[in-house]
């Protein structure tokens, strides 16, 4: 009689190289019936008096014999690391956003992304520095920093640095020729007194002065301007002349300083402090300083017994009279008769 046997399956996997589809060998059990001849044996006791013997009885056959056998078949399945229903198998990747899964746990990142530890992360060039790259070429900077297209996240100064570079959050490094203003991040221009003395003006750049109204930059400093120029004096303020020693200001010409002569320079002109220049017909007195006396030419006037009171004009002393000599051609003083 045939007996019922429970079926079961054994699986063996066969992987084909360079493919995402594998094949599993499936063994399906089934009942196999066979005919088998059975030899029955028995022991002879009384007939075989000499010894006990075994006899074969060939009168019986057994034709019902059941055994379990297996049928093998190959079934396509997705290989390890792939999912889907063969032959439509796709690789499995975890965290492959911003990319394409090209093999199990292998991401081919989109343009602008790179693979880091199996994840596609955005690329920022230049690198963000104190910040995070949140999208290709886009940084999310930390507090106190701002995005610079060429340098990534750079420190922010508020107010912005003038004449300097922002090297830290609200920290300026001044350019050459500028200095830090105390208590501020501002960089002010610096003027060297030996190169640009900005007294009466403002330092507007490294060794550059902007002079106040009425002043002009000359000889490395802001000096007052006098128009017209001071003569025999110094311009000590806008259109204000201070005369040199020995000179005084002309009442009609404020820019003109004229020399001063203590003796008033009679019969002459004061051409320098206490220096007279005599008028024509006069000469420097030998007895009175800075005084000019009339001059009588001895070719025409004989000043004996008289005084020269003007150019070639003779005044006779008491007791003498003025005469003209036909013989000598001289004007002279002769004794009164």
């Amino acid at each position: 009689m045939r007996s019922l046997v429970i079926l079961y399956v054994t699986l063996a996997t066969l992987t084909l190289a360079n493919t995402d589809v594998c094949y599993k060998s499936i063994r399906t059990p089934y009942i196999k019936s066979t005919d088998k001849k059975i030899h029955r044996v028995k022991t002879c006791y009384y007939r075989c008096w000499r010894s006990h013997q075994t006899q074969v009885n060939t009168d019986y056959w057994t034709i019902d014999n059941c055994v379990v056998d297996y049928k093998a078949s190959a079934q396509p399945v997705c290989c390890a690391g792939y999912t889907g229903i063969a032959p439509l198998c796709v690789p499995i990747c975890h965290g492959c956003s911003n990319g394409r899964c090209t093999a199990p746990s292998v991401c081919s990142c989109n343009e602008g992304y790179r693979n880091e530890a199996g994840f596609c992360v955005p690329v920022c060039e230049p690198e963000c520095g104190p910040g995070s790259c949140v999208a290709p070429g886009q940084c999310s900077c930390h507090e106190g920093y701002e995005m610079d297209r060429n340098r990534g996240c750079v420190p922010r100064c508020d107010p912005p640095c003038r004449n300097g570079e922002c090297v830290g959050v609200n920290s300026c490094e001044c350019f050459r020729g500028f200095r830090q203003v105390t208590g501020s991040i501002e960089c002010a221009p610096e003027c060297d007194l030996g190169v640009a003395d900005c007294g009466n003006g403002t330092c507007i750049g490294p060794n550059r002065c902007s002079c106040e109204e009425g002043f002009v930059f000359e000889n490395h400093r802001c000096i007052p301007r006098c128009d017209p120029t001071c003569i025999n004096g110094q311009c000590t303020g806008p259109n204000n002349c201070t005369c040199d020693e020995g000179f005084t200001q002309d009442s009609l010409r404020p820019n003109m300083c004229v020399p001063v002569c203590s003796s008033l320079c009679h019969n002459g002109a004061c051409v320098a402090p206490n220096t007279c220049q005599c008028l024509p017909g006069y000469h420097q007195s030998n007895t009175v300083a800075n005084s000019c006396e009339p001059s009588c030419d001895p070719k025409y006037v004989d000043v004996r017994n008289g005084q020269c009171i003007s150019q070639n004009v003779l005044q006779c002393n008491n007791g003498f009279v003025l005469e003209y000599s036909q013989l000598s051609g001289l004007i002279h003083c002769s004794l009164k008769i």
Side-chain angles (χ1 to χ4, degrees):
M1 180 178 180
R2 297 178 186 271
S3 60
L4 181 62
V5 179
I6 299 176
L7 302 182
Y8 64 93
V9 177
T10 60
L11 303 179
T13 303
L14 299 176
T15 303
L16 300 181
N18 300 325
T19 183
D20 54 3
V21 178
C22 297
Y23 289 89
K24 289 186 176 182
S25 177
I26 300 177
R27 299 178 65 202
T28 305
Y30 68 96
I31 302 300
K32 180 180 180 181
S33 298
T34 60
D35 292 335
K36 185 177 180 181
K37 185 177 181 180
I38 297 176
H39 302 281
R40 298 184 183 275
V41 297
K42 66 178 181 177
T43 303
C44 176
Y45 293 99
Y46 57 91
R47 292 182 182 178
C48 304
W49 54 273
R50 293 185 178 179
S51 61
H52 296 290
Q53 293 183 357
T54 300
Q55 290 184 335
V56 177
N57 188 344
T58 60
D59 294 337
Y60 301 95
W61 292 85
T62 299
I63 61 173
D64 187 7
N65 186 28
C66 296
V67 295
V68 177
D69 204 352
Y70 298 88
K71 291 181 179 179
S73 62
Q75 179 180 346
V77 295
C78 293
C79 295
Y82 291 84
T83 185
I85 300 175
L88 300 177
C89 297
V90 294
I92 299 173
C93 292
H94 298 285
C96 194
S97 58
N98 304 315
R100 184 169 54 90
C101 189
T102 56
S105 299
V106 177
C107 282
S108 293
C109 298
N110 297 337
E111 185 177 0
Y113 294 82
R114 65 167 173 255
N115 193 301
E116 287 187 5
F119 294 89
C120 291
V121 297
V123 176
C124 289
E125 291 293 344
E127 294 184 358
C128 293
S132 302
C133 187
V134 294
Q138 182 179 344
C139 295
S140 176
C141 298
H142 295 165
E143 185 177 359
Y145 293 82
E146 61 187 1
M147 179 64 183
D148 183 279
R149 181 175 298 179
N150 298 320
R151 296 183 295 165
C153 291
V154 296
R156 181 174 62 244
C157 289
D158 188 16
C161 292
R162 293 181 57 190
N163 306 316
E165 181 181 4
C166 187
V167 295
V169 179
N170 289 331
S171 177
C172 291
E173 181 178 305
C174 297
F175 296 144
R176 184 177 180 181
F178 295 84
R179 59 178 176 80
Q180 191 86 45
V181 177
T182 303
S184 171
I185 65 173
E186 182 182 355
C187 293
E190 195 169 24
C191 291
D192 187 347
L193 293 179
V195 179
D197 183 357
C198 293
N200 302 315
T202 304
C203 183
I204 59 172
N207 293 326
R208 287 182 56 217
C209 296
S210 175
C211 298
E212 296 174 359
E213 186 177 359
F215 292 82
V216 62
F217 189 78
E218 289 183 6
N219 299 324
H220 312 298
R221 60 193 180 96
C222 290
I223 61 175
R225 180 176 57 194
C226 290
D227 188 17
T229 304
C230 292
I231 297 176
N232 299 322
Q234 303 298 322
C235 187
T236 55
N239 291 324
N240 183 31
C241 289
T242 299
C243 294
D244 297 338
E245 186 177 0
F247 292 83
T248 187
Q249 197 165 37
D250 191 310
S251 59
L252 299 178
R253 296 172 295 176
N255 68 305
M256 177 69 73
C257 293
V258 295
V260 176
C261 292
S262 59
S263 63
L264 301 180
C265 206
H266 295 292
N267 302 316
C270 188
V271 294
N274 288 323
T275 302
C276 285
Q277 181 178 343
C278 296
L279 298 175
Y282 292 85
H283 65 273
Q284 190 74 39
S285 172
N286 294 326
T287 58
V288 181
N290 293 321
S291 180
C292 295
E293 297 177 345
S295 177
C296 291
D297 192 341
K299 292 181 180 181
Y300 306 105
V301 180
D302 183 354
V303 295
R304 288 176 298 177
N305 303 316
Q307 293 181 356
C308 185
I309 59 173
S310 184
Q311 185 178 9
N312 293 328
V313 177
L314 181 62
Q315 183 180 9
C316 295
N317 297 333
N318 290 333
F320 291 86
V321 294
L322 187 65
E323 292 183 354
Y324 174 73
S325 174
Q326 293 290 340
L327 179 64
S328 63
L330 296 176
I331 298 174
H332 66 281
C333 294
S334 62
L335 186 60
K336 183 187 293 187
I337 299 175

